[in-house]
Amino acid sequence: FLTRNIDSSALHLTKAPPRLLARQTGRRLLRFSVPTTLGMMATAITRDALWGGIGLAVSLVLAIAGTVYLATWLLPKKRAVNSEKALEWLDEWLQEYQPTVGMYFSGGTTSAYQANMWLSTLAELDGKPIIVLRERFMVQKIDATDIPIVCIPKVANLMRLEHSALKVLLHPANSGKTSQILRIPSIKHAFINHGESDKLSSCNPYAKAYDEVWVAGPAARDRYQLADIGVEDKDVVEVGRPQLSPIKAYEGAPKGEYTTVLYAPTWEGWDGNPGNTSVILAGENIVRELLADPKVRLLYKPHPMTGSVDPEAGAANARIKAMVQEAIAQRAAEREGQGAGPEAVAELEARTEELRALTTSSFGKSADELEKMLIQSAPEEGRAAAVAEATAAWEAAYWASFPEWEHRIITSARPAIFACFNQADVLISDVSSVVSDYLSSEKPYAVANTSGMSEDDFRANFPTVRAATILTPEADGVAGLLETVRNPERDTLVQARKELKEHLLGPSDPPSLARFNAAALALHAAAEERQVRMEARLAGVPGQRDEGTEAHEAQEAAEEMELDPSESPEAGESADGSEARATV
């Protein structure tokens, strides 16, 4: 296993040996043979064997010295504890820390954002949070946080969580490895998703494997029932979207000379549906229309997975970026000398360095996973607050580092999408969770219809677009959208956005974080109640066993023996009819 934000000094971790000695065998042999090669070349030229002997001796000295130096990591003071001792330490740490609620995450290299969006919410819950990961590389993909992180790749070791105080796990995404943690009966599991949209992927049948499905508002509850995928309504809990609190509310017409338009299309998805993303069919037309308006500042923020499945999406994304870059150069030429001053640029560099120092760890080139565990030990008190303050200062410096007329292409993790929301006067997107989140501001927004449906059918099939301006693949409607943004008195969708916001995200009172926290506490209480019932049953308390219990135990026994449940033996008997032995 690996850890982060945990004091692991008891594991006797040390700095890693040089990569050349420990993990680069081929390069080591190549480099150590250089003196021999040079000596032999000198011998061939001078006909003097002395040079070859010297070169060989130097190579031998290097090899022997390197081996001796590497062997010092076998000494007790440099040797980490073995696997058995390490797992014992993990059990002891879990017993001491007593985690109550955690987030479980497994995914690919580009999926870390799905977990990162929940970090602030998890940190504010009552109890002691923990993050459980499965992939080693993901330990460094999780953003700066003070929450303890444990990465447990092997299933056998993962099962040790059953004997900890952990009672609730939150799941922001489905993965093949999710089924492994679901096998622990002492933990209750809630699917919280990494965003809600009207796409079918937001109603995955996998969701019925969880104890509860937490959604933002009534729209998602209705969506699950309409999808008819086996998720019962009693297991759906409305908790709102607590991480949306930084999004600022609508303040009317643009304050400055320019109208800031955020175009944030989603990616193409796995199912090949052309309506998933507007990038392929409508993206270039939308951007062309926006760039043609001299009073528009465009923020283009494509989904990070754009082009990962369909090469056409990647090619269209590249062409859109080229269009925006050309427009940036053209405006810069027209307004020569009107850019941000060197002070603003210097301020951004300073804030970037400050934030980097707080949110990243410096590792040497030879650092391995154990050395990174040693460096990323228990965080200093107050680091989370310092990171939040530094992030806000960086965002302010970022937006001030370029003039209000300059278009931007934003593909990095910072500025985050919510920071872009606060800069934008209007959003153009696709049917995605971006729309639902943006609605919390009640600002005007538009959705591109590349599904092939009529506008009426499009609105009927996707509730999130009912308060939106609908754009065609040819970008018809962009001019009218900009007109209503600049003249709010012509905006006929104000009330519709307010109503849709509550339908999608739930009421604002009580606050979403309070509802989310209450749901976590309730699920924790349910897990403890189950534990009490199971302890009573195992203790043989009269009245605790019934026919349903015996049938359930017979089902589990059949599954363990890989038998058909209808052919399983009676409770209390083994497959051959002899008395069964239970291991608890």
Side-chain angles (χ1 to χ4, degrees):
F1 64 87
L2 297 175
T3 66
R4 199 178 118 190
N5 299 335
I6 298 174
D7 182 4
S8 55
S9 56
L11 296 176
H12 300 163
L13 304 180
T14 61
K15 291 185 62 176
R19 285 189 301 171
L20 183 64
L21 298 178
R23 302 191 297 279
Q24 296 180 337
T25 305
R27 292 186 183 183
R28 181 175 73 245
L29 294 174
L30 182 64
R31 293 178 183 180
F32 284 4
S33 67
V34 168
T36 299
T37 304
L38 294 176
M40 298 299 289
M41 290 175 62
T43 294
I45 294 172
T46 63
R47 303 293 180 176
D48 188 348
L50 177 63
W51 297 110
I54 293 174
L56 179 60
V58 172
S59 292
L60 287 174
V61 169
L62 288 175
I64 294 171
T67 302
V68 171
Y69 181 62
L70 186 61
T72 61
W73 267 264
L74 297 176
L75 297 175
K77 66 177 182 179
K78 281 191 176 183
R79 191 190 311 165
V81 299
N82 59 31
S83 298
E84 182 179 353
K85 294 285 187 181
L87 289 172
E88 289 178 3
W89 173 88
L90 178 62
D91 291 338
E92 292 172 0
W93 180 84
L94 288 169
Q95 184 66 29
E96 179 183 353
Y97 180 66
Q98 294 284 300
T100 56
V101 58
M103 178 173 67
Y104 176 91
F105 188 71
S106 171
T109 55
T110 60
S111 63
Y113 73 94
Q114 299 171 351
N116 287 330
M117 67 171 59
W118 289 104
L119 294 179
S120 60
T121 301
L122 185 64
E124 294 187 54
L125 295 181
D126 291 339
K128 293 186 175 181
I130 188 174
I131 297 173
V132 180
L133 305 176
R134 301 301 307 282
E135 291 81 20
R136 293 177 177 272
F137 67 83
M138 192 62 71
V139 175
Q140 302 305 324
K141 293 287 185 178
I142 299 298
D143 285 346
T145 179
D146 289 352
I147 301 173
I149 299 174
V150 178
C151 175
I152 309 178
K154 296 179 68 174
V155 180
N157 297 335
L158 186 70
M159 295 300 109
R160 306 177 88 90
L161 293 177
E162 183 174 3
H163 306 292
S164 71
L166 186 62
K167 291 293 182 289
V168 175
L169 275 178
L170 310 177
H171 299 258
N174 296 312
S175 73
K177 295 179 181 179
T178 301
S179 61
Q180 298 169 349
I181 193 71
L182 292 177
R183 293 163 59 184
I184 299 181
S186 61
I187 299 177
K188 292 288 186 180
H189 302 267
F191 181 58
I192 57 176
N193 212 335
H194 52 275
E196 292 186 8
S197 72
D198 294 325
K199 292 185 293 187
L200 292 177
S201 59
S202 289
C203 291
N204 194 313
Y206 200 120
K208 61 189 174 185
Y210 302 96
D211 295 286
E212 291 181 353
V213 175
W214 293 2
V215 299
R221 178 186 293 277
D222 296 342
R223 192 181 303 125
Y224 271 105
Q225 301 317 303
L226 290 172
D228 193 20
I229 56 173
V231 176
E232 297 186 32
D233 188 66
K234 66 179 180 61
D235 295 328
V236 178
V237 181
E238 296 177 28
V239 295
R241 290 273 285 164
Q243 60 269 74
L244 302 185
S245 57
I247 299 176
K248 298 178 181 178
Y250 180 48
E251 297 180 350
K255 297 291 189 294
E257 181 182 355
Y258 293 87
T259 302
T260 300
V261 181
L262 171 62
Y263 179 37
T266 190
W267 68 303
E268 61 270 23
W270 301 106
D271 57 7
N273 187 335
N276 285 343
T277 178
S278 59
V279 169
I280 299 175
L281 298 178
E284 292 170 82
N285 295 329
I286 291 172
V287 171
R288 189 176 295 109
E289 285 288 314
L290 293 171
L291 296 179
D293 190 316
K295 296 300 181 181
V296 163
R297 176 180 69 161
L298 173 62
L299 305 180
Y300 177 54
K301 188 173 178 62
H303 193 285
M305 294 181 67
T306 300
S308 60
V309 173
D310 189 346
E312 286 190 42
N317 181 40
R319 291 193 297 270
I320 291 172
K321 290 180 180 179
M323 292 170 62
V324 179
Q325 289 285 13
E326 183 180 352
I328 293 173
Q330 182 177 346
R331 277 198 175 175
E334 295 171 354
R335 295 165 176 80
E336 187 175 357
Q338 300 179 20
E343 298 84 2
V345 176
E347 175 69 9
L348 177 61
E349 292 176 353
R351 295 299 183 181
T352 300
E353 180 59 27
E354 177 188 10
L355 187 58
R356 187 205 64 77
L358 285 170
T359 58
T360 60
S361 300
S362 297
F363 304 123
K365 291 184 178 181
S366 296
D368 59 3
E369 291 173 333
L370 295 186
E371 184 175 338
K372 291 176 182 179
M373 279 179 62
L374 177 65
I375 294 173
Q376 295 177 313
S377 188
E380 296 180 2
E381 187 176 352
R383 187 184 67 170
V387 169
E389 184 178 345
T391 300
W394 181 91
E395 290 177 352
Y398 173 82
W399 298 116
S401 67
F402 56 90
E404 63 173 352
W405 47 261
E406 185 175 320
H407 307 298
R408 303 296 288 180
I409 299 172
I410 303 172
T411 55
S412 56
R414 293 190 182 94
I417 187 69
F418 292 172
C420 296
F421 285 176
N422 291 335
Q423 288 293 313
D425 298 306
V426 59
L427 167 74
I428 299 177
S429 188
D430 304 321
V431 176
S432 70
S433 60
V434 169
V435 169
S436 302
D437 291 349
Y438 187 80
L439 256 173
S440 66
S441 70
E442 299 185 18
K443 293 179 183 178
Y445 71 103
V447 177
N449 178 12
T450 55
S451 65
M453 302 179 187
S454 66
E455 181 174 329
D456 290 340
D457 289 342
F458 190 58
R459 291 186 186 274
N461 280 276
F462 302 108
T464 54
V465 309
R466 291 176 185 171
T469 297
I470 306 301
L471 305 181
T472 67
E474 294 74 29
D476 294 337
V478 169
L481 171 67
L482 295 174
E483 184 68 20
T484 58
V485 172
R486 292 162 177 162
N487 301 281
E489 66 276 6
R490 301 181 185 179
D491 188 352
T492 60
L493 296 171
V494 175
Q495 186 60 32
R497 290 197 297 272
K498 290 182 179 179
E499 295 173 357
L500 184 57
K501 171 187 174 181
E502 183 162 339
H503 184 56
L504 292 176
L505 303 175
S508 55
D509 189 28
S512 177
L513 182 60
R515 287 184 282 149
F516 195 96
N517 187 57
L521 294 175
L523 195 57
H524 187 277
E528 289 189 324
E529 290 172 2
R530 179 200 174 274
Q531 182 174 346
V532 171
R533 290 196 302 271
M534 294 307 298
E535 289 175 352
R537 290 172 183 174
L538 292 173
V541 176
Q544 292 295 324
R545 295 180 61 84
D546 52 30
E547 293 181 0
T549 302
E550 293 178 357
H552 178 69
E553 291 176 351
Q555 171 83 15
E556 290 183 340
E559 291 175 354
E560 289 180 2
M561 293 185 288
E562 298 183 353
L563 297 174
D564 187 304
S566 61
E567 299 175 357
S568 62
E570 296 294 329
E573 293 184 353
S574 61
D576 60 2
S578 62
E579 185 177 353
R581 290 178 294 175
T583 301
V584 179

